[in-house]
Amino acid sequence: MSWFSIVFFIGAMFGACTAQLCPTFYATSCPNVSSIVRDVVRQARQSDARLGAKIIRVHFHDCFVNGCDGSVLLDDADGIQTERSAIPNQSLSGLDVVDNIKTALESVCPGVVSCADILALASEILVSLDGGPTWEVQLGRRDSRTANLAGTSAIPLANDGAHTFGKAQCVTFRNRLYNFDGNGNPDPTIDATYLQTLRQNCPQNSGNSTRSDLDPTTPNGFDNNYFMNLQNNRGLLQSDQELFSTSGADTVAIVNGFAGSQTQFFDTFGDSMIKMGNIRTLTGTNGEIRINCRRIN
Ligand code: HEM
Ligand SMILES: *[C@@H]1O[C@H](CO)[C@@H](O)[C@H](O)[C@H]1NC(C)=O
Ligand SMILES: *[C@@H]1O[C@H](CO)[C@@H](O)[C@H](O)[C@H]1NC(C)=O
Ligand SMILES: *[C@@H]1O[C@H](CO)[C@@H](O)[C@H](O)[C@H]1NC(C)=O
């Protein structure tokens, strides 16, 4: 017997799901969880083509502050300072749909499915509805009883790219268009035609919250066009374009690989999402299953 099978066997004996995440966590407690989430998001997506982008971003901001524990969903309350008042929240949205998913689940399996798991499940379902990959969503996260506003400063300022769909506000990239070097010049890595288009939608002195597509080629589709855009100097955020334009960076080969192979991008993306979803989760008897994602029980 290999080490792997011994560990696997012991894990199975004691129920591998109790101390770590697993895909079948709700198999007996809420067997229909995926189709319930799917129904709500499919409906909501009909009137909001950007829903997938909104929800996966909420999941990312949840996982990068105190781990994937639903903390980002908490509203201000006694003893709770919402994480969404931090500058990097930059207009997180889609929370109304998370509320609707929670309501649907509470009516079928009350007190069972965590808000943190809702974000992980809804992200996967929406990415695949938008044309992206599927992956095996790990489940069993529990929700925090605290928020960590100060921890939002840990949201990284480098970038690894789910920016194949969704939008960014003018204020997040304006300096690239008008005054990148402090002398009134634009970022030299922006394609000249793209620069003109962006300037029309993001004037120098107004329109902070006007949004532009992160992927101007296929704005709502989850695909590898984003990487081809970078090769053509059409990345919207500085942190995106740097992946390709920083000479000598390891990321240049990654961009070229993903631009050349959507399959390679999809496989890697699915693996990354599973890793991201594993960041410091609460399991077992830690935390709680919130009844309302916006407040602790
Ligand atoms: C790691 C560094 C990252 C940085 C610096 C970054 C930065 C940004 C910024 C500035 C925006 C625009 C926000 C706005 O103006 O409303 C944005 C949007 C977005 N980000 Fe990121 N991001 C990062 C990582 C990620 C990751 C890991 C994901 C997903 C797994 C992600 C998914 C998205 C999506 C989908 C949008 C569009 C949201 C919408 O349409 O409302 N980002 N990001
Ligand atoms: C599971 O949910 C779907 C969609 O809401 C529904 O069509 C189906 O009947 C449900 N199945 C069970 C066993 O509840
Ligand atoms: C994000 O923070 C800003 C203040 O920085 C606040 O006005 C906005 O309502 C917050 N967004 C959400 C979704 O809570
Ligand atoms: C737009 O954003 C800039 C940079 O954050 C800020 O200095 C300015 O006050 C904002 N303008 C408005 C009208 O909110």
Side-chain angles (χ1 to χ4, degrees):
M1 236 200 269
S2 69
W3 272 111
F4 173 78
S5 42
I6 292 169
V7 171
F8 183 82
F9 182 64
I10 294 172
M13 251 171 39
F14 290 98
C17 269
T18 54
Q20 63 192 64
L21 308 184
C22 69
T24 54
F25 187 81
Y26 297 110
T28 51
S29 57
C30 196
N32 219 3
V33 57
S34 291
S35 53
I36 295 165
V37 176
R38 181 176 297 270
D39 279 0
V40 177
V41 300
R42 208 186 335 220
Q43 179 82 26
R45 185 175 164 276
Q46 281 171 12
S47 54
D48 182 4
R50 219 175 95 219
L51 183 63
K54 291 176 178 176
I55 297 289
I56 199 174
R57 183 158 187 255
V58 176
H59 181 39
F60 159 56
H61 280 241
D62 183 26
C63 293
F64 272 75
V65 180
N66 275 19
C68 315
D69 60 359
S71 57
V72 73
L73 301 172
L74 291 171
D75 284 343
D76 275 325
D78 256 5
I80 305 275
Q81 264 186 301
T82 183
E83 291 171 14
R84 300 191 312 278
S85 64
I87 288 168
N89 85 354
Q90 284 163 346
S91 66
L92 292 179
S93 56
L95 272 61
D96 50 335
V97 176
V98 176
D99 292 337
N100 292 342
I101 297 170
K102 185 63 179 167
T103 303
L105 287 169
E106 285 302 304
S107 74
V108 179
C109 347
V112 170
V113 182
S114 67
C115 299
D117 277 352
I118 288 174
L119 292 178
L121 264 175
S123 295
E124 191 271 346
I125 291 168
L126 282 158
V127 165
S128 77
L129 288 174
D130 289 340
T134 60
W135 60 91
E136 197 169 47
V137 182
Q138 304 292 314
L139 299 168
R141 298 169 190 80
R142 291 169 63 85
D143 297 321
S144 71
R145 293 185 43 81
T146 55
N148 183 357
L149 176 58
T152 54
S153 61
I155 292 174
L157 293 173
N159 189 0
D160 86 19
H163 293 164
T164 166
F165 59 175
K167 290 179 187 271
Q169 300 169 94
C170 170
V171 68
T172 65
F173 59 86
R174 183 189 282 120
N175 73 315
R176 301 188 70 207
L177 311 185
Y178 300 100
N179 194 15
F180 189 66
D181 56 0
N183 291 314
N185 298 306
D187 184 339
T189 63
I190 307 179
D191 168 81
T193 310
Y194 185 47
L195 175 64
Q196 294 315 315
T197 311
L198 290 178
R199 280 180 167 173
Q200 281 167 23
N201 204 33
C202 180
Q204 187 155 17
N205 297 308
S206 64
N208 277 358
S209 56
T210 304
R211 292 180 163 85
S212 294
D213 294 324
L214 284 160
D215 171 357
T217 320
T218 49
N220 296 317
F222 194 102
D223 54 34
N224 69 338
N225 273 317
Y226 160 83
F227 298 100
M228 299 181 211
N229 297 339
L230 299 184
Q231 290 176 321
N232 293 313
N233 297 320
R234 289 166 164 260
L236 183 61
L237 303 180
Q238 185 188 342
S239 53
D240 289 332
Q241 191 58 53
E242 277 173 351
L243 299 174
F244 182 74
S245 300
T246 306
S247 64
D250 298 346
T251 51
V252 177
I254 298 174
V255 170
N256 289 333
F258 290 169
S261 168
Q262 180 153 282
T263 308
Q264 191 189 330
F265 169 47
F266 280 9
D267 289 350
T268 310
F269 188 79
D271 291 347
S272 308
M273 287 304 292
I274 291 172
K275 279 190 197 137
M276 188 178 93
N278 270 320
I279 298 175
R280 277 180 295 149
T281 53
L282 298 169
T283 55
T285 54
N286 294 316
E288 64 182 17
I289 304 299
R290 265 179 235 149
I291 303 302
N292 176 335
C293 294
R294 308 260 188 164
R295 33 182 185 270
I296 62 171
N297 292 344

